[in-house]
Amino acid sequence: MAGGVNRKISAASARAHTRRAKQNSSFQLPPGMFTKALVALFIGFSAWTYQAIQPPPSKIIGSPDGPPVTAPFIKLSDGRRLAYKEHGVPKENAKHKIVFVHGFDSCRHDAVVAETLSPETVEDLGIYIVSFDRPGYGESDPNPKRTVKSMASDIEELADQLGLGHRFYVIGFSMGGQVLWSCLKYIPHRLAGAAILAPVVNYWWAGFPANLSTEAYSQQLQQDQWALRVSHYTPWLTYFWNTQKWFPGSSVVAHSRDVLSDQDKELMTKLEKRGTYVEQVRHQGEFESIHRDMIVGFGTWEFTPLDLENPFPNNEGSVHLWHGADDGLVPVKPQRYIAQRLPWIHYHELPGAGHLFPHADGMCENIVKALLTEG
């Protein structure tokens, strides 16, 4: 009778057998599942990012969900509404007609020249001033197609529809001062004179020496340097950058006083009256007002102000550039360079003055009298 065969199994063989059994029984993703999961995650993240960088739609004036119409306005050739406010003597009796262009995060009520001129000066010189809401501000419709050139066209249409005559004066403050370079480029034949007050500088304008623009740019707060970079290089991120909470956005958008000069801080008390209308400035939304300002103002321009020609070769008018030597928002050195490159500009540098110098007592009297009397 045959006997059974006894086989001894080594411990090593037993462990190997156990490992193979565990491997065979472990969970495995179906082929391609991991790749599909990564793709789905990427698509989800991209969708979230797209939503995060999209600004909300504007609340159009006069629409069911928008603010009411309270100001007089004109209809531009493209159908947009442009709201305005008149100051001074009636335009029918005026000797001098002025269009005032407000600055960043402001509106037609922020017409510092009209608000601070003495009644005697207004009457003696026969001054009429019209201020207006730039696109997206106050009660003027947004202009998603806004360009450097379109602002000059808006001003020309405003003057024509209000009957200001073939020639009129322009005064612009801060970002509104920057707009006047466009007027000098595109509608110089319509101007009787221009006063450019503390104009914002685009550090990417062609013609600035590299060391000058770099030095002036580096004088900005670090957070403002980043905000300007975003506006210039990735304008589609401007809204996101200035509304997200991970990094500080523009200090100007946030109304920080860190960049104000000593004089500016003293003059801030004169701006307390803005409390009666400040909510109107952005009530259509931030993107088509302050963020569009940054995108256009610090974007790639169609021209450089440093190549402008004298609009008054026969001294029939004059262009004045005023700037505070202690301006912490817009460094003074680029303005000095512009004045050197364009010797036909009457340059006024104010020692000890900051960005808000037009609000100083008597300052606008000097600005307007220089504009209207110097040829």
Side-chain angles (χ1 to χ4, degrees), residues 44-364:
F45 178 77
S46 299
W48 175 86
T49 302
Y50 177 79
Q51 291 295 328
I53 65 176
Q54 296 303 305
S58 298
K59 297 179 180 179
I60 303 301
I61 291 291
S63 66
D65 297 327
V69 176
T70 64
F73 62 88
I74 64 166
K75 277 282 190 159
L76 297 168
S77 57
D78 62 3
R80 286 183 294 115
R81 178 190 293 110
L82 199 72
Y84 64 90
K85 181 178 181 180
E86 296 176 293
H87 319 257
V89 303
K91 61 176 176 283
E92 296 79 11
N93 303 329
K95 300 175 184 175
H96 304 96
K97 299 167 186 176
I98 301 172
V99 177
F100 180 84
V101 189
H102 69 74
F104 184 80
D105 205 6
S106 304
C107 69
R108 66 188 183 281
H109 299 301
D110 292 301
V112 58
V113 172
E115 297 295 329
T116 59
L117 277 181
S118 69
E120 293 77 19
T121 297
V122 171
E123 290 294 332
D124 291 346
L125 295 179
I127 297 173
Y128 163 88
I129 301 175
V130 60
S131 56
F132 67 99
D133 292 327
R134 292 194 287 111
Y137 283 108
E139 295 189 23
S140 287
D141 290 336
N143 182 8
K145 298 179 180 180
R146 193 195 330 171
T147 64
V148 174
K149 184 177 182 179
S150 70
M151 279 305 310
S153 299
D154 287 356
I155 291 171
E156 185 174 28
E157 282 199 61
L158 176 68
D160 286 342
Q161 292 200 37
L162 293 183
L164 302 191
H166 180 64
R167 290 183 181 270
F168 51 89
Y169 295 89
V170 287
I171 300 178
F173 173 47
S174 193
M175 190 67 83
Q178 189 191 65
V179 169
L180 296 202
W181 297 123
S182 304
C183 295
L184 291 169
K185 170 66 176 179
Y186 295 112
I187 57 169
H189 57 289
R190 301 300 308 275
L191 304 181
I196 309 172
L197 317 180
V200 170
V201 168
N202 184 322
Y203 300 100
W204 292 272
W205 280 335
F208 274 140
N211 61 333
L212 174 64
S213 56
T214 299
E215 178 187 353
Y217 181 78
S218 64
Q219 292 176 15
Q220 305 288 303
L221 295 178
Q222 195 71 32
Q223 68 192 80
D224 291 332
Q225 293 181 36
W226 275 105
L228 299 186
R229 282 193 195 101
V230 169
S231 298
H232 183 78
Y233 293 110
T234 55
W236 45 276
L237 278 177
T238 301
Y239 171 79
F240 170 75
W241 185 263
N242 289 289
T243 55
Q244 51 77 34
K245 306 300 181 184
W246 298 321
F247 309 103
S250 165
S251 69
V252 183
V253 171
H255 294 167
S256 171
R257 297 194 178 195
D258 293 343
V259 293
L260 297 181
S261 70
D262 290 339
Q263 187 203 54
D264 285 341
K265 292 174 182 177
E266 294 175 1
L267 292 174
M268 284 296 291
T269 58
K270 294 181 177 290
L271 303 183
E272 292 175 355
K273 63 180 180 180
R274 297 190 79 233
T276 61
Y277 60 82
V278 69
E279 291 184 358
Q280 299 178 30
V281 173
R282 305 185 191 180
H283 63 180
Q284 295 189 78
E286 295 186 359
F287 181 68
E288 288 296 346
S289 53
I290 58 176
H291 298 141
R292 184 68 67 185
D293 253 4
M294 297 176 71
I295 291 170
V296 175
F298 299 108
T300 300
W301 277 40
E302 305 144 3
F303 71 97
T304 174
L306 287 88
D307 290 339
L308 289 173
E309 297 181 357
N310 184 1
F312 307 112
N314 299 317
N315 294 323
E316 65 272 33
S318 58
V319 179
H320 297 258
L321 172 56
W322 299 76
H323 208 83
D326 293 344
D327 193 329
L329 277 81
V330 184
V332 69
K333 285 190 176 181
Q335 315 291 12
R336 293 172 181 166
Y337 186 79
I338 291 172
Q340 292 172 4
R341 279 283 297 266
L342 307 177
W344 42 270
I345 286 182
H346 299 251
Y347 180 57
H348 311 262
E349 186 171 310
L350 308 172
H355 194 70
L356 301 179
F357 69 83
H359 293 275
D361 292 341
M363 194 67 242
C364 284

